[in-house]
Each structure stands twice: as C-alpha cells, then as structure tokens.
C-alpha cells in the first residue's frame, strides 16, 4: 500500500459535509487510517465553531505550532499522506515550513475553481482601495511566493486535480505546484454527485424550469462580509412576477431549488405557491426544461446536463451589488447564455446551447477526459492502495 494513513489539516472544525467530501468513512472501510487535525485554535482562536461528532475518526484539536511540530516529528514509521485543506499564502507559511522540514508527503485537492475576473481588473480595483495593511500583506505574500519559487517550501507532491484550472485553488504560485507535482485527475464534488444521480427518476411529474435560489436577501455570507444585499419586499415580488411570465410563455411551472442555508423558507415561502425543494438540486436541474440562476455554483449541473441557462439580474442588483453582478455577467459570457433583467418587461429569449463553450467549461473547471466516467472516491482509494 502506497499510503497507510491520511492526515487532513484544516483551520475549520470537522463538519458532516467536510467528512463526506474527504471520503473519511470510505478510506477507513478500506483499512486506511485517517486523522483530522483541526488548526482552528492556531488561526481563528476567537471564532471557533461547533463541530459535528464522529465516532469513527480521530479529530485532534491542535492548540499551537509547537504541538503541531511534535505530532509531525513523532509520527509512526508508516507511510502518511498529509493533505492540507488551506490555500497557500503567507498566513500559512509556517504550516508548510514544518511539512517541508520534516519531508512529509503532501497531497492537495485542487478542485472547486470557478470563473474569475481577469487579474488586471482585480488588481486595479484593489489599488483604488490601497491601505497600509494591504501593502504589508502584499509584501508578505511576495516573500511566500519567493520561498516557493526557490523550492525552499514544498506545498504539493501529489495534486488531485479537477479540471485543467483546478490548480488555481491552491493559492499563491500554484503554477509551481502544477509543474512539480504528480497529477492525478479527479472530479469536483458536484460532478461526482451528477455521475451518481444523472439517471434518477424526476421529482416533478410535469414540465418545469428550475430556479437556483441563492437566499439573496438573507445569505449569512453577505452579512459576515458587511456587503449590501437586496430588500426582500422588492426582490421576491419581482422574481415572482418574472416567473409568472416564464410560466405563461413556456406553458410549464417554475420550481425553486432552495439554497441549503435558506432556513426562513421553512417558516414562510417567499415564492408564493411555487414548490421550494431542498437538497435535490442535481435532480431538479437534470430533469428540467431549462435553468434560471444568478451566480450559483450549482450552474455547473446545467453544464454537465447540457441545459440552457437564463441568467437573471436587476437594476437594483447592478446598483447595490456591482461585484456580485459582474460575476453573473462573467458566467453568462463564459457559457454564451442569455442575461436578462427580471425587474422589467424585457423580451424573454434564450440563447442556444453553445456545446463548445460548455465543453470548455466542463474540462476547465469540473472534470477531465480520464476521470469523467469515474468517481473521485474510487480514484483516490486506488491511488492510496497502489503498491
């Protein structure tokens, strides 16, 4: 067996979703030992979240770098693959220094990349908001990149790569990881879900279009980032009026694929009489006539299933959330799909699916020719167990 043990290192507590996405139960069933090293107290000491309890995995809450070093230094004489779940920046340089110093084998999951604005645009926006703190962080990150370029820091030996651009999720100077790592092609988590569920029976027994809800007025991430969002008493009525038009024009119903954090929908349905369904987004997209969305990552299911996407924004969204709106427009351009304002009486027209654009997106961000008909779980297990 190539590796007898896998150690995950993260500055987030272990939650059910993480547990599933890291194949912990499957690894242990195959006789591979697994530990989850929680570094929250090192990096986010004042903001520790509650974690889920798992009886079948060893979770180590590490309080200091000294404790972390002792655990690495005193490891058993077995083959261990260390998998940091943190992108490389100056903030985590010390972590990678320790792994490099003790010659640890390092694996990285390079998956979850999404379309992003051109670097120059981002840099220019940052320059307009320049601060002393940003200058300092930029300089420290420059030092981290320099250390990596000189190979004083190793951040990856084995890259589990989903899509040709997946490596960009690994942090600073990720092109070096691409050049110096052994590449193992895998899929995104959502692509694996699609492979498993693409033949599932439809949940809706009539023609429908699905809207990928993003809980826009209430999403906790916007509150945490202190970002303005849209007013519920304007946003939902405008969407419902637009959906009325969709239903009338195409003689079908609109179904809502609820955002998983949309707790308020259990109390009150802001979409009126329309069905709001949780935790079935893949099935709803695969069996829909077409998809409507803002900027949800679940748009990827539409790409996998070759479904047309109607991207929605509004004048209020453009005014209050310009960065978010720019991402909606970016997705629409990447896929060559229609973009329409849902708060006015624009004609509703769809773009035909551009199969070449969809194919490029698929292999840039979601999967590869060699992994598209496999599950990442099986690819990962095969790699670990190979002699």
């Amino acid at each position: 067996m190539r590796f007898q043990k896998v150690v995950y290192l993260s500055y987030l507590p272990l939650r059910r979703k993480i547990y599933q996405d890291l194949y912990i139960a499957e690894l242990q069933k195959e006789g591979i030992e697994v530990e989850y090293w929680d570094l929250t107290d090192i990096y986010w000491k004042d903001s520790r979240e509650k974690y889920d309890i798992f009886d079948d995995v060893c979770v180590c809450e590490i309080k200091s770098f000294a404790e972390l070093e002792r655990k690495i230094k005193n490891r058993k004489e077995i083959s261990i693959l260390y998998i940091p779940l943190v992108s490389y920046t100056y903030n985590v340089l010390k972590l990678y220094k320790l792994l490099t110093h003790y010659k640890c084998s390092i694996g990285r999951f390079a998956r979850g990349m999404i379309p992003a604005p051109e670097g120059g645009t981002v840099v220019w926006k940052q320059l307009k908001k320049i601060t002393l703190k940003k200058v300092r962080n930029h300089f420290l990150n420059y030092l981290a990149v320099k250390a990596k370029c000189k190979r004083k820091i190793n951040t990856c030996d084995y890259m589990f790569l989903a899509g040709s651009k997946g490596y960009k999720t690994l942090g600073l100077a990720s092109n070096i990881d691409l050049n110096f790592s052994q590449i193992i092609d895998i899929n995104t988590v959502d692509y694996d879900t699609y492979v498993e569920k693409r033949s599932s029976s439809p949940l809706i027994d009539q023609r429908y279009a699905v809207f990928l809800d993003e809980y826009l007025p209430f999403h906790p991430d916007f509150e945490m980032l202190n970002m303005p969002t849209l007013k519920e008493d304007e946003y939902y009525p405008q969407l419902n009026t637009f959906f009325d038009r969709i239903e009338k024009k195409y003689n079908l119903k609109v179904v809502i694929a609820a955002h998983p954090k949309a707790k308020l929908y259990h109390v009150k349905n802001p979409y009126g009489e329309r069905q709001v369904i949780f935790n079935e987004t893949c099935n709803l997209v695969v069996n829909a006539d077409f998809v409507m969305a803002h900027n949800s990552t679940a748009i990827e299911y539409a790409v996998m299933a070759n479904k047309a996407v109607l991207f929605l924004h509004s004048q209020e969204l453009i005014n209050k959330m310009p960065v978010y709106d720019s991402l909606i427009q970016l997705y629409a351009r990447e896929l060559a799909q229609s973009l329409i304002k849902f708060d006015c009486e624009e004609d509703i027209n769809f773009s035909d699916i551009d199969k070449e654009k969809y194919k490029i997106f698929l292999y840039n961000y979601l999967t590869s020719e060699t992994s598209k008909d496999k599950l990442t779980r099986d690819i990962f297990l095969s790699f670990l167990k190979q002699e």
Side-chain angles (χ1 to χ4, degrees), residues 67-134:
E67 181 183 353
L68 176 62
E69 183 169 12
R70 284 196 300 272
K71 286 190 71 65
I72 295 173
K73 185 177 181 180
N74 297 331
R75 62 190 184 273
K76 299 175 185 176
E77 291 299 318
I78 60 172
S79 52
I80 302 174
L81 181 64
Y82 292 85
I83 303 184
L85 305 173
V86 293
S87 296
Y88 181 68
T89 65
Y90 180 81
N91 292 334
V92 293
L93 178 61
K94 195 168 183 179
L95 166 63
Y96 285 100
K97 272 186 176 180
L98 285 174
L99 295 173
T100 302
H101 177 74
Y102 287 102
K103 296 181 173 57
C104 298
S105 294
I106 302 173
R108 306 284 300 281
F109 281 114
R111 60 186 179 184
M113 185 62 190
I114 59 175
E118 291 297 324
T121 304
V122 175
V123 169
W124 173 242
K125 287 180 179 179
Q126 292 297 319
L127 285 175
K128 289 196 293 185
K129 300 178 182 178
I130 198 163
T131 64
L132 186 61
K133 183 178 180 181
K134 286 182 179 179

Side-chain angles (χ1 to χ4, degrees), residues 57-69:
V57 59
C58 176
V59 177
C60 305
E61 294 181 19
I62 296 177
K63 309 294 184 183
S64 66
F65 279 110
E67 181 183 353
L68 176 62
E69 183 169 12

Side-chain angles (χ1 to χ4, degrees), residues 145-200:
V145 169
K146 195 170 182 180
K148 191 172 179 180
C149 290
K150 291 186 174 181
R151 306 299 294 153
K152 292 181 179 179
I153 297 292
N154 177 35
T155 57
C156 188
D157 296 302
Y158 304 98
M159 184 187 299
F160 301 94
L161 179 67
S164 62
K165 294 189 177 183
Y167 73 95
K168 294 184 178 182
T169 63
L170 298 185
L172 298 173
S174 53
N175 58 306
I176 294 175
D177 298 317
L178 189 65
N179 292 332
F180 287 93
S181 304
Q182 179 180 335
I183 306 298
I184 302 94
D185 288 323
I186 60 167
N187 312 312
T188 63
V189 173
D190 283 347
Y191 187 90
D192 283 338
T193 300
Y194 170 73
V195 170
E196 292 184 304
K197 294 188 175 183
R198 59 187 164 189
S199 300
S200 300

Side-chain angles (χ1 to χ4, degrees), residues 72 109 250 305 333 352 369:
I72 295 173
F109 281 114
Y250 294 102
R333 289 195 302 272
D352 292 333
E369 283 285 358

Side-chain angles (χ1 to χ4, degrees), residues 126-355:
Q126 292 297 319
L127 285 175
K128 289 196 293 185
K129 300 178 182 178
I130 198 163
T131 64
L132 186 61
K133 183 178 180 181
K134 286 182 179 179
V135 172
R136 177 181 179 276
N137 288 342
H138 184 77
F139 176 71
L140 293 176
N141 281 332
Y142 165 76
L143 295 180
V145 169
K146 195 170 182 180
K148 191 172 179 180
C149 290
K150 291 186 174 181
R151 306 299 294 153
K152 292 181 179 179
I153 297 292
N154 177 35
T155 57
C156 188
D157 296 302
Y158 304 98
M159 184 187 299
F160 301 94
L161 179 67
S164 62
K165 294 189 177 183
Y167 73 95
K168 294 184 178 182
T169 63
L170 298 185
L172 298 173
S174 53
N175 58 306
I176 294 175
D177 298 317
L178 189 65
N179 292 332
F180 287 93
S181 304
Q182 179 180 335
I183 306 298
I184 302 94
D185 288 323
I186 60 167
N187 312 312
T188 63
V189 173
D190 283 347
Y191 187 90
D192 283 338
T193 300
Y194 170 73
V195 170
E196 292 184 304
K197 294 188 175 183
R198 59 187 164 189
S199 300
S200 300
S201 300
L203 298 171
I204 310 298
D205 61 0
Q206 65 183 90
R207 291 180 58 230
Y208 69 91
V210 63
F211 172 62
L212 305 180
D213 169 71
E214 291 189 55
Y215 205 33
L216 211 50
F218 307 111
H219 198 297
D221 287 358
F222 293 122
E223 183 179 353
M224 181 180 68
L225 296 170
N226 198 29
M227 290 176 61
T229 184
L230 305 183
K231 296 178 180 178
E232 61 171 310
D233 56 357
E234 295 178 2
Y235 174 71
Y236 291 114
Q238 289 172 350
L239 269 182
N240 284 327
T241 299
F242 179 78
F243 293 155
D244 289 341
R245 294 174 59 206
I246 288 285
E247 290 173 337
K248 184 176 180 179
K249 178 168 183 175
Y250 294 102
N251 192 29
L252 45 61
K253 65 186 292 186
V254 171
V255 175
I256 312 301
H259 191 281
K261 294 184 179 179
K263 296 179 181 179
L264 293 178
Y265 294 177
H266 294 295
V267 179
K268 179 183 177 182
N269 182 359
Y271 295 102
E273 298 300 316
R274 293 187 173 90
Q275 276 184 276
V276 176
I277 301 175
F278 284 83
N279 304 319
E280 291 288 355
T281 302
C282 181
N283 184 297
L284 290 172
V285 170
V286 167
N287 294 293
D289 279 36
F290 59 87
V291 177
M292 295 176 287
H294 298 313
N295 179 37
S296 169
T297 55
I299 291 163
E300 295 169 1
Y301 289 131
V303 176
M304 301 169 206
N306 280 310
K307 299 290 180 177
V309 182
L310 183 60
F311 287 91
L312 308 180
H313 66 166
S314 67
Q315 192 57 51
E316 186 71 3
L317 197 153
I318 294 169
N319 294 339
K320 293 187 70 173
M321 307 176 71
V323 174
Y324 183 80
D325 182 69
S326 69
L327 295 175
I328 298 174
Q329 296 189 43
L330 177 61
Y331 259 104
R333 289 195 302 272
E334 286 263 341
L335 295 174
Q337 292 292 281
S338 298
L339 174 67
I340 190 171
K341 290 181 180 176
F342 62 82
D343 60 340
C344 62
E345 294 291 325
E346 285 187 42
D347 288 338
I348 301 172
N349 293 302
F350 278 91
S351 301
D352 292 333
I353 292 174
D354 186 324
K355 291 185 178 180

